[in-house]
Amino acid sequence: MTYDLIVLGSGPGGYVAAIRASQLGLKTAIVERERLGGICLNWGCIPTKALLRSSEIYHYLTHLDAYGLSAERPGFDLTRVVQRSRTVADQLNGGVKGLMKKHRIEVHEGVGTIPARGRLIVEKDGAKTELSAKTIIVATGARARELPFAKADGERIWTYRHAMTPREMPTRLLVIGSGAIGIEFASFYSDMGAEVTIAEMLPRILPVEDEEVSAFMAKALTRQGMRLVTGASIESLETGTGGVTATIRTADGAVETSEYSHAIVAVGIVPNTENIGLEALGVALDRGHTVNDGYGRTNVEGILAIGDVAGPPWLAHKAMHEAIICVEKLAGQNPHPFDNGNIPGCTYSRPQVASVGLTEARAKEAGHAVKIGKFPFIGNGKAIALGEAEGFIKTVIDAATGELLGAHMVGAEVTELIQGYTIARELESTEAELIGTTFPHPTLSEMMHESILSAYGRALHV
């Protein structure tokens, strides 16, 4: 079976690459060992948002007094909460199948390996099928990193996949790692009634975010009843019939041992680059990730890579954006090379966190003189009306040129707002265009305008 392009992996990067290639007239095949849509649609981005939506609604049900409402004995059925999440994932999996059919992309199910340039072997149930193509895109994604001394067992020690389909509700939960995945699961289980402790090795939670956002989130999660232990290292994690015993060394050197019903390990990812033939082909790797140029090309002709295997940020929308650039370049078009600087990051906790571009600290480290704008949710009419008056929007602006260097948000629905600043950065807008833009009233988006105004001493509602 001969194609112009074979895509190995059908996550957001893989299936988008296949669709764009088909649109551009390339005969395309996609190879998937599990379910179309990859981790994101089946075990990550989408089903976790379904879980978080359930916990958000449950939070509102238990706080109806604040809205002048009442209801008798709100509760939840964990099995049905999880089933709703799986139904959402199944629906989207079916949607990707439909897209493959619509765009005449041939789907090969099985484990793919690349024995030589231009060749790919698909194995399923002992049968092997050989495919050939001038170009192969590796989009095999990543898997959860585990603690070497405490492998996940699915019973007491969980990865994100176990945490998405729990058979029982944790009572005392330890979340190890405070990146987006750890914080989202901490938020979900806390809102559903678990007593949550978050252990983070670095000095602050959400360490990739702006320091003010991290500090705000630490206070917000603590007010919600979570315990945060930063600068912490896990010395041991031992399971028993009744739970997990964790020994944690804290930042001051003290060692504490505590009992938990369950533990979630959220300490990063491992790229899926092993055992597919990349090493034998001589593809350059850096800590397991492929080394690429701005168009997804590796050092081996005909072997390209996108998404999580190609390095951070490990985000679905980054993979999709890389896919478009990679395929368009392959098809002879002239897209701009991939730029990490305009990839927004989102954490769908309560409250939400979103950001794009440089933090204040990184902007200063890069030599920029900056103007900082900040506007609080409490100054916004829509936020007050929603009962969501906690949070702020912060903008980092180059003092000399007016360039928007970065934007950082924490509060309700900021994951929907951040795209406005992302577009502004893509268009290379300055403060003049942003100040001159009319934002609708009453909306949360008005705070984006006010934050820019604030940087120039012109904020109107604070």
Side-chain angles (χ1 to χ4, degrees):
M1 300 182 186
T2 302
Y3 304 91
D4 298 316
L5 172 67
I6 300 170
V7 182
L8 180 58
S10 73
Y15 81 75
V16 166
I19 289 171
R20 187 65 183 125
S22 178
Q23 289 173 341
L24 292 170
L26 301 180
K27 184 182 178 183
T28 304
I30 196 163
V31 177
E32 174 55 53
R33 68 180 181 182
E34 291 186 33
R35 287 166 58 92
L36 287 172
I39 294 297
C40 178
L41 265 65
N42 295 291
W43 297 102
C45 322
I46 302 300
T48 55
K49 303 313 163 282
L51 292 177
L52 285 160
R53 178 60 170 165
S54 292
S55 66
E56 179 186 38
I57 292 172
Y58 186 64
H59 167 74
Y60 287 134
L61 279 173
T62 56
H63 292 79
L64 288 176
D65 273 355
Y67 299 90
L69 304 173
S70 62
E72 292 185 6
R73 298 192 312 176
F76 66 88
D77 182 331
L78 183 62
T79 300
R80 292 179 63 191
V81 168
V82 172
Q83 184 55 53
R84 176 180 180 272
S85 170
R86 301 316 309 155
T87 299
V88 169
D90 289 343
Q91 180 179 340
L92 289 168
N93 170 260
V96 174
K97 289 180 182 177
L99 289 171
M100 297 298 99
K101 184 177 180 180
K102 173 185 175 181
H103 292 282
R104 301 177 302 281
I105 297 161
E106 294 189 24
V107 178
H108 297 271
E109 296 181 353
V111 176
T113 55
I114 308 171
R117 288 194 306 170
R119 294 176 56 213
L120 193 145
I121 304 295
V122 183
E123 183 173 357
K124 183 179 182 182
D125 300 329
K128 294 183 178 181
T129 303
E130 182 166 339
L131 315 178
S132 63
K134 182 179 179 181
T135 305
I136 297 171
I137 294 178
V138 178
T140 46
R143 61 190 183 276
R145 185 181 299 278
E146 296 192 62
L147 296 174
F149 53 85
K151 297 290 186 181
D153 58 12
E155 296 292 332
R156 296 296 173 181
I157 302 177
W158 294 346
T159 66
Y160 63 84
R161 291 184 72 144
H162 306 120
M164 239 178 298
T165 55
R167 290 193 289 269
E168 60 184 1
M169 180 69 190
T171 52
R172 297 191 72 224
L173 175 66
L174 173 65
V175 178
I176 304 170
S178 72
I181 293 173
I183 292 296
E184 287 179 5
F185 278 118
S187 189
F188 169 75
Y189 281 108
S190 176
D191 275 348
M192 299 300 281
E195 181 184 327
V196 175
T197 295
I198 301 172
E200 169 57 53
M201 179 179 67
L202 295 174
R204 57 189 177 93
I205 64 167
L206 289 169
V208 302
E209 300 293 345
D210 188 87
E211 289 187 20
E212 289 189 84
V213 170
S214 291
F216 182 94
M217 279 296 289
K219 291 178 181 178
L221 299 183
T222 300
R223 283 196 301 271
Q224 291 175 26
M226 299 187 214
R227 179 177 178 238
L228 312 182
V229 186
T230 55
S233 62
I234 307 299
E235 302 287 294
S236 66
L237 203 61
E238 298 179 0
T239 59
T241 55
V244 180
T245 302
T247 302
I248 303 173
R249 184 177 297 276
T250 58
D252 60 5
V255 176
E256 63 175 53
T257 300
S258 301
E259 301 289 331
Y260 300 92
S261 64
H262 301 78
I264 297 175
V265 178
V267 292
I269 59 94
V270 178
N272 294 324
T273 48
E274 317 102 310
N275 305 319
I276 58 177
L278 298 184
E279 297 93 339
L281 288 169
V283 174
L285 300 177
D286 179 10
R287 287 168 289 184
H289 295 94
T290 59
V291 178
N292 319 287
D293 66 4
Y295 301 103
R297 297 176 295 201
T298 71
N299 62 309
V300 176
E301 186 178 355
I303 304 294
L304 293 80
I306 58 173
D308 288 355
V309 297
W314 300 290
L315 301 168
H317 47 280
K318 174 257 195 183
M320 289 188 275
H321 188 55
E322 274 184 318
I324 299 297
I325 292 171
C326 176
V327 170
E328 289 184 350
K329 187 68 172 179
L330 179 65
Q333 298 191 356
N334 192 32
H336 291 294
F338 180 72
D339 176 12
N340 275 348
N342 280 351
I343 303 299
C346 298
T347 303
Y348 299 83
S349 49
R350 186 178 63 82
Q352 294 180 3
V353 175
S355 60
V356 67
L358 299 177
T359 64
E360 179 180 354
R362 288 190 178 274
K364 290 176 177 176
E365 288 170 7
H368 295 277
V370 298
K371 286 183 176 291
I372 302 298
K374 282 179 63 178
F375 192 83
F377 270 54
I378 193 64
N380 177 262
K382 179 68 177 293
I384 295 170
L386 289 175
E388 301 285 0
E390 290 191 2
F392 65 86
I393 291 178
K394 176 178 179 178
T395 45
V396 183
I397 299 170
D398 187 286
T401 66
E403 177 189 357
L404 177 64
L405 299 173
H408 310 276
M409 306 176 170
V410 56
E413 302 304 328
V414 296
T415 58
E416 297 292 341
L417 297 179
I418 193 63
Q419 190 59 18
Y421 283 140
T422 305
I423 293 170
R425 280 179 51 80
E426 191 66 30
L427 294 175
E428 299 181 354
S429 301
T430 68
E431 93 290 352
E433 289 85 15
L434 291 166
I435 287 175
T437 298
T438 301
F439 288 73
H441 175 81
T443 65
L444 298 176
S445 70
E446 291 175 275
M447 291 183 286
M448 299 168 66
H449 193 214
E450 291 274 15
S451 181
I452 300 291
L453 291 171
S454 172
Y456 292 86
R458 294 175 53 182
L460 300 172
H461 292 93
V462 68

